[in-house]
Amino acid sequence: MNFRKSAVVLNGFIHDFATGYWLSAMIAIRLLDGFEPEYPGLGGPLVRMEQFFFWHTIAAVVVIFATGSARTFTYVDNFYGRETERTRRRMLVAKHVVLLALFGAGGWWAYRTAFS
């Protein structure tokens, strides 16, 4: 396997991993926020952990956007045929519109939760 193909595979892996990490950090923020009413004496450390995970969600989004941008230039062949590729690209655009909305809404929620 040549370097270019290896780089494409590694980029895709990092993109998918960062997406999973973003979701995991969002879940961690939600779980930590749920512990605050149960353990009021741990409020300070729990808030610090929420903020830690919030900043990690921001870093994950940066990595997701960077690797996603790189992915844009790696899928240029009509591997599945012209019509199938056209449909696949339309579906990718729709998926990314939904994901951008989720990243925005999730980021706003995480910020309000971690810094309230």
Side-chain angles (χ1 to χ4, degrees), residues 22 65 94-108:
W22 177 84
F65 285 173
K95 176 186 88 168
H96 285 92
V97 166
V98 169
L99 289 175
L100 281 171
L102 285 173
F103 281 144
W108 177 246

Side-chain angles (χ1 to χ4, degrees), residues 43-85:
L46 289 173
V47 168
R48 294 281 311 268
M49 286 189 275
E50 288 176 18
Q51 292 171 356
F52 169 86
F53 282 112
F54 168 76
W55 290 113
H56 279 239
T57 64
I58 298 301
V61 168
V62 169
V63 171
I64 292 164
F65 285 173
T67 55
S69 297
R71 267 185 157 181
T72 302
F73 301 106
T74 60
Y75 296 104
V76 293
D77 297 332
N78 286 324
F79 182 78
Y80 297 107
R82 180 169 259 124
E83 187 60 36
T84 303
E85 283 297 315

